[in-house]
Amino acid sequence: MQHTLAVGLVGSEGAIGLGSVLSPVPGRLRCRVQTGGSAWAANSHDLAMLLHQRPGMLWVISQYLWQLAEHVATMSASVQFDDIGTRLAHWLVLSAERAQSVRLPLTHEHLAQMLGVRRVSITLAAGDLKTKGLIDYQRGVVNILDMAGLRECAHPQQAMLSAHV
């Protein structure tokens, strides 16, 4: 079994493969499609030429890369400090936002690989979220029933901070 850990999630707002334009050295990151959808594709040489012709686009890409860096840092901190239930709730919220759907074609095995945990840990954490009425799931499909409640589980510190402000 190959060990994996998701450190980010990109949806229709983002871009994958910018490293091939910005650096000649191949990176170590691997991308995996979680849910299907439409996407644009560009040849890295063509994109590099466009960026040379329109340097203002570099500003937009820089802003996106900064947001992505913050997202990766947040995901990394979550791996270090949050319990599996919190991490699962966070991943489901992010997945729903990126897919723009509350019906997600995800298996417990896939979620375990993304979160870097054993499948049984996902089954237990998902069972807890299901008992709370936040999600429902059947073979290969997770349905989010209460997005606000799931967000609260995903960010318990923020919920506590906003309650005390």
Side-chain angles (χ1 to χ4, degrees):
M1 177 178 139
Q2 183 180 5
H3 295 284
T4 59
L5 176 64
V7 295
L9 192 60
V10 175
S12 61
E13 82 296 339
I16 296 295
L18 290 172
S20 65
V21 175
L22 302 172
S23 172
V25 179
R28 294 182 43 123
L29 295 177
R30 299 293 174 255
C31 300
R32 182 173 175 183
V33 174
Q34 178 170 282
T35 55
S38 299
W40 291 92
N43 177 289
S44 61
H45 177 73
D46 293 342
L47 183 56
M49 291 293 291
L50 181 63
L51 293 175
H52 285 292
Q53 292 169 358
R54 299 189 183 265
M57 288 183 66
L58 287 173
W59 176 250
V60 174
I61 289 174
S62 296
Q63 288 177 311
Y64 169 70
L65 290 175
W66 180 252
Q67 290 174 345
L68 186 60
E70 287 182 327
H71 174 65
V72 168
T74 300
M75 294 292 288
S76 298
S78 178
V79 168
Q80 186 69 29
F81 299 113
D82 292 338
D83 61 48
I84 294 170
T86 300
R87 289 172 55 205
L88 175 60
H90 187 224
W91 189 261
L92 292 174
V93 167
L94 288 174
S95 296
E97 288 172 350
R98 299 307 193 272
Q100 299 174 351
S101 175
V102 293
R103 186 177 189 280
L104 305 169
L106 301 172
T107 64
H108 286 195
E109 183 64 33
H110 173 81
L111 290 165
Q113 289 175 358
M114 293 298 97
L115 297 181
V117 299
R118 296 179 346 169
R119 185 186 172 283
V120 68
S121 299
I122 294 299
T123 301
L124 293 171
D128 185 46
L129 295 175
K130 186 175 183 176
T131 299
K132 293 176 180 176
L134 303 175
I135 66 169
D136 191 22
Y137 55 85
Q138 297 171 349
R139 285 188 175 261
V141 177
V142 176
N143 289 300
I144 298 175
L145 304 176
D146 179 357
M147 183 60 84
L150 194 61
R151 277 194 175 98
E152 206 171 295
C153 284
H155 304 289
Q157 299 86 0
Q158 288 180 353
M160 286 185 355
L161 287 175
S162 61
H164 289 71
V165 173

